Amino acid sequence: MMSRLLPAVSGRVPGVPPTPAMARVVGLLAHRWFSGAFRGPLQVIRCPAPQLHVSGPAMAASQEDFAKAMNQVKLLKEDPGNEVKLKLYALYKQATEGPCNAPKPGMLDFILKAKWDAWNALGNLPKETARQNYVDLVSSLSASSCSQVTPAADKKQAESDSLVVTSEDGITTIRLNRPAKKNALTTQMYRDIMRALEAASEDSSRITVLTGSGDYYCSGNDLSNFKDIPPDKVEERAQSSAVLLRDFVDCFIDFPKPLIAVVNGPAVGISVTLLGLFDVVYASDRATFHTPFSHLGQSPEGCSSYIFPKMMGPSKAAEMLIFGKKLTAREALAQGLVTAVFPDDTFQKEVWARLKAYAKLPPNAMRIAKRLMRHQEKEKLHAVNAEESRVLAERWVSDECITAIVAFLSKKAKL
Ligand SMILES: CCCCCC/C=C/C(=O)SCCNC(=O)CCNC(=O)[C@H](O)C(C)(C)COP(=O)(O)OP(=O)(O)OC[C@H]1O[C@@H](n2cnc3c(N)ncnc32)[C@H](O)[C@@H]1OP(=O)(O)O
């Protein structure tokens, strides 16, 4: 089935180089980036057979892994759908041929055009990263039957894992579990959350919950993701991070079951912006909602540049997304970002009682209601996500952003 996705697209036209401005900024500022080996903790998604994903610091997939993944694709039992097939096609082409230099097919050549668009959207993503992303995607497709009840024997060990996925009482819970780092999201966690969502969309649970361990819900992107980038790889990394961000947010846009955020404490950055893509957001009265993008020289993501103004009106959205105003839980409730606020001391009890009752409702009816409410906006949201990710890749190599991140990593600044 999938082999039909791999015909060569022939012909060559000029590629899409980074803008001269970006290259200049990178050249000027690269020396200020941190160096030294990053020693990230092991992160584990726990799920019973058939797959246990264990990963440490990101490693490039070998040619052998890539070849295995290509074979695995042919063995997939279920058709992954056109969108995924296009992603696979694009990553395959990028990994084997590099950036898309083929002539753009005519408007009426629908299939060729969709394939060309998917490949071209990968821009200058390095071949190695495309290979890794292809392997990751195939592995997530093969693992989609994972995520059931966490075996009791795993529960103790899960304390030290960065992401813990459990499924019980019709609820799949994805728990950010780096309390010592305020649940900041590492690159690997983005990938693991995507896998967990893909698995949850197909498991037998009826609703899916994202929450955090410890006193924070999430402190946003782990700013150490910007560490240890060799000067000549800064642009490449910005591009590959933008692709990861786009794929990550796409998973939330497309998630088919009711998705609930249980915001147990303060939320920062991307963990706030994503809330607009959840169906319901329950917050402890201790939670705060902070999007300090301008302070960090960055720009909004998670489709917030579109959803927040629609949700709260342009000027309230501007206070948050341009000026970085931090909202209390009650303020977030008034702006429609939060569905309900609970006193912190009864938060867990009240929220989980509600969720267990919701999880008894007929699953198909819930999915259909969600689809009806969301499908008209989907295409728009994907376009907004693509644009926000593209702009962020530019911000990440800007002087303003680099200065802010260097200040945080050298402990000179915090929010
Ligand atoms: C594929 C890429 C996609 C990227 C998408 C774009 C996303 C953008 C964003 O999310 S922007 C938001 C980024 N987040 C921040 O700027 C928060 C930075 N953190 C802080 O300002 C503070 O740590 C705090 C206000 C969250 C909490 O302050 P405090 O209560 O005083 O605790 P500590 O600062 O001592 O924190 C404990 C420990 O955690 C580390 N840490 C906290 N947050 C982050 C983070 N976001 N990145 C990396 N590390 C973080 C902090 O350094 C401390 O570590 P230490 O104990 O010193 O080793």
Side-chain angles (χ1 to χ4, degrees), residues 180-182 184 190 216 219-224 241 244-245 268-270 293 296 298 301 392 396 408 411 414-415:
K181 299 283 181 187
K182 311 293 181 193
Y190 289 105
Y216 258 65
S219 63
N221 190 33
D222 188 317
L223 297 176
S224 311
S241 298
L244 176 61
L245 171 64
V268 183
I270 189 167
F293 299 123
L296 293 168
Q298 298 189 32
E301 75 302 273
L392 250 178
W396 284 325
F408 177 79
K411 309 268 179 216
K414 111 173 21 173
L415 297 172

Side-chain angles (χ1 to χ4, degrees), residues 290-345:
H290 196 185
T291 45
F293 299 123
S294 298
H295 299 69
L296 293 168
Q298 298 189 32
S299 50
E301 75 302 273
C303 296
S304 58
S305 62
Y306 175 69
I307 295 178
F308 281 25
K310 273 185 82 161
M311 179 189 273
M312 52 185 81
S315 72
K316 290 290 179 191
E319 277 197 307
M320 281 191 84
L321 297 179
I322 301 180
F323 301 124
K325 182 178 182 219
K326 192 199 283 188
L327 300 194
T328 63
R330 300 253 164 241
E331 286 168 336
L333 178 69
Q335 299 314 331
L337 185 60
V338 161
T339 316
V341 177
F342 301 83
D344 192 55
D345 49 359

Side-chain angles (χ1 to χ4, degrees), residues 83-283:
E83 215 166 292
V84 174
K85 284 193 237 171
L86 279 173
K87 258 185 207 162
L88 284 168
Y89 168 79
L91 289 169
Y92 170 83
K93 294 294 277 183
Q94 191 87 4
T96 52
E97 295 179 30
C100 174
N101 282 330
K104 188 171 182 171
M107 287 301 283
L108 296 178
D109 244 335
F110 295 115
I111 298 180
L112 273 184
K113 175 142 184 326
K115 286 160 120 181
W116 187 92
D117 284 343
W119 183 13
N120 189 51
L122 295 181
N124 287 327
L125 184 72
K127 279 185 171 182
E128 303 72 45
T129 314
R131 202 162 64 203
Q132 176 69 56
N133 291 357
Y134 181 94
V135 170
D136 285 348
L137 180 54
V138 173
S139 127
S140 73
L141 292 171
S142 314
S144 60
S145 59
C146 94
S147 183
Q148 294 297 320
V149 179
T150 303
D154 283 351
K155 279 188 176 150
K156 249 188 267 153
Q157 203 188 329
E159 292 300 307
S160 63
D161 299 335
S162 297
L163 197 72
V164 179
V165 184
T166 52
S167 195
E168 219 164 359
D169 296 329
I171 307 174
T172 289
T173 304
I174 303 171
R175 181 180 295 277
L176 310 174
N177 196 38
R178 289 181 84 208
K181 299 283 181 187
K182 311 293 181 193
N183 298 324
L185 296 169
T186 61
T187 303
Q188 189 59 45
M189 284 166 81
Y190 289 105
R191 295 210 171 95
D192 289 344
I193 292 169
M194 286 162 68
R195 285 186 192 158
L197 285 174
E198 279 172 23
S201 70
E202 300 196 356
D203 69 13
S204 57
S205 67
R206 298 179 175 195
I207 63 179
T208 299
V209 169
L210 185 69
T211 191
S213 296
D215 61 341
Y216 258 65
Y217 173 64
C218 174
S219 63
N221 190 33
D222 188 317
L223 297 176
S224 311
N225 290 340
F226 293 94
K227 258 164 113 170
D228 308 331
I229 307 175
D232 60 331
K233 299 277 185 227
V234 171
E235 170 62 28
E236 250 179 51
R237 182 67 79 85
Q239 292 299 332
S240 62
S241 298
V243 172
L244 176 61
L245 171 64
R246 198 178 89 173
D247 290 349
F248 177 72
V249 174
D250 276 348
C251 284
F252 285 82
I253 297 172
D254 291 331
F255 192 70
K257 298 180 183 176
L259 185 60
I260 291 110
V262 172
V263 185
N264 52 298
V268 183
I270 189 167
S271 70
V272 177
T273 55
L274 276 179
L275 293 176
L277 297 172
F278 282 71
D279 300 299
V280 163
V281 178
Y282 292 141

